[in-house]
Amino acid sequence: MTPCRRQSSVLLVLATLSLLVGGPAAAQPESEPLATYDMKRDIAYRDNDGLDHYADAQCRLDVYHPTNRPGFATVVWFHGGGLTGGERYTPSELQERGVAVVAVSYRLSPKVKVVDCIDDAAAAVAWTFDNIERFGGDPSRIFVSGHSAGGYLTSMVGLDKSRLAKYGVDADRIAGLVPFSGHTITHFTARSERGIPGTQPVVDELAPIYHVRDDAPPTLLITGDRDLELLGRYEENAYFWRMAQVVEHPDTEIFELEGCDHGQMVSPAFPLLLRFIERVSADR
């Protein structure tokens, strides 16, 4: 089955075709030289003073960026793994697409608490605001995204303004939030820390939906098929979308990719992310 949004399959088809043929982000006039790219690896995004060995090893990122196309948009990308596993990577679907990717590692439970994972994510986003311009990027076009646990971190950093405020950054400077199949209730690992089972939903200060607000950055919610996703993941995101409408947030969309489970939804979600970056950038 071709992955599609229940409410608007046409838009996803167009986005998928855009990815296959190169898309607007990659299209270049014949008179211009081809875009070139570079990768800077293993950059520390926290001050090493006072860090233990584990934090020093984990609080690192890679920057993949165009070298001859200044003013590009940037995607800060958080990997999944339930906040207990996984490692940073630069998605192939975002390479040679005219954008930079800041791929982030962060500390993991049970070595740290979930609040520390969120704090690392905020520190990495703040680092991007402070440093992307020296790579040629436009700090007004920084988007935050990630899959599963990475989607949860995306939403927490962008919606709970206190997380970035700690690092002197206003979360509303983020150009857009694109969580892939992320929790909008309190993450199951945070619930596990308290002895709460994964089947018992909780909404508190560690839930993105707790921080829903009308002045948040533009938001694109993407999940897999509601019948194939992890327990309640589509419905959580649908509830977040509804509450965004209630508070009159001007730019929140939700897409459900039919026929895709939690893992399968990742690749077909990238054309939607790129299309979102193009649209939001054009409106800025």
Side-chain angles (χ1 to χ4, degrees):
M1 179 184 295
T2 300
C4 62
R5 180 192 181 195
R6 288 185 189 269
Q7 294 84 359
S8 180
S9 60
V10 173
L11 182 55
L12 180 56
V13 169
L14 290 175
T16 304
L17 288 174
S18 172
L19 180 63
L20 292 174
V21 303
Q28 300 169 45
E30 292 184 4
S31 60
E32 293 186 11
L34 293 175
T36 56
Y37 295 83
D38 191 20
M39 175 83 83
K40 296 292 187 293
R41 299 182 185 275
D42 205 37
I43 301 171
Y45 60 82
R46 283 190 177 278
D47 188 334
N48 285 338
D49 290 345
L51 293 185
D52 61 24
H53 176 74
Y54 178 63
D56 181 49
Q58 285 295 106
C59 296
R60 302 274 172 161
L61 54 79
D62 300 331
V63 180
Y64 171 87
H65 65 96
T67 60
N68 59 347
R69 290 288 187 275
F72 49 77
T74 298
V75 177
V76 181
W77 177 257
F78 295 111
H79 67 81
L83 301 178
T84 61
E87 57 187 28
R88 72 179 182 269
Y89 69 98
T90 301
S92 60
E93 295 90 345
L94 295 179
Q95 296 181 29
E96 298 188 10
R97 300 295 301 167
V99 299
V101 181
V102 175
V104 181
S105 293
Y106 47 91
R107 290 172 294 171
L108 299 169
S109 174
K111 291 186 177 181
V112 299
K113 298 296 187 181
V114 167
V115 291
D116 300 309
C117 304
I118 299 169
D119 189 55
D120 286 350
V125 172
W127 182 95
T128 305
F129 274 104
D130 292 340
N131 291 277
I132 199 61
E133 200 164 11
R134 67 185 175 90
F135 293 91
D138 181 350
S140 73
R141 299 174 66 204
I142 294 173
F143 295 79
V144 183
S145 186
H147 174 238
S148 194
Y152 169 76
L153 295 176
T154 294
S155 299
M156 285 300 300
V157 169
L159 293 165
D160 181 355
K161 299 190 71 171
S162 70
R163 305 296 175 176
L164 277 172
K166 175 181 176 180
Y167 296 96
V169 175
D170 184 347
D172 291 346
R173 291 178 60 194
I174 296 173
L177 305 171
V178 189
F180 289 17
S181 195
H183 267 309
T184 72
I185 63 172
T186 299
H187 197 279
F188 64 76
T189 299
R191 284 178 273 156
S192 178
E193 289 176 352
R194 308 172 201 172
I196 300 172
T199 52
Q200 182 175 338
V202 173
V203 174
D204 60 16
E205 68 277 1
L206 292 183
I209 199 168
Y210 183 88
H211 303 280
V212 67
R213 52 192 176 85
D214 63 357
D215 57 349
T219 300
L220 175 63
L221 307 163
I222 311 174
T223 77
D225 191 310
R226 70 187 72 183
D227 295 323
L228 300 174
E229 263 285 6
L230 295 182
L231 179 63
R233 195 60 57 92
Y234 165 79
E235 288 80 4
E236 289 180 41
N237 280 264
Y239 183 35
F240 183 97
W241 176 86
R242 172 54 62 192
M243 293 309 298
Q245 309 312 302
V246 170
V247 301
E248 299 184 353
H249 184 268
D251 194 353
T252 299
E253 291 186 277
I254 182 169
F255 282 81
E256 177 187 11
L257 303 184
E258 287 187 336
C260 294
D261 64 20
H262 186 69
Q264 294 166 339
M265 62 78 60
V266 181
S267 185
F270 283 112
L272 295 173
L273 168 59
L274 290 166
R275 184 72 66 167
F276 179 78
I277 291 171
E278 179 189 19
R279 176 180 69 78
V280 172
S281 295
D283 291 342
R284 296 182 74 82

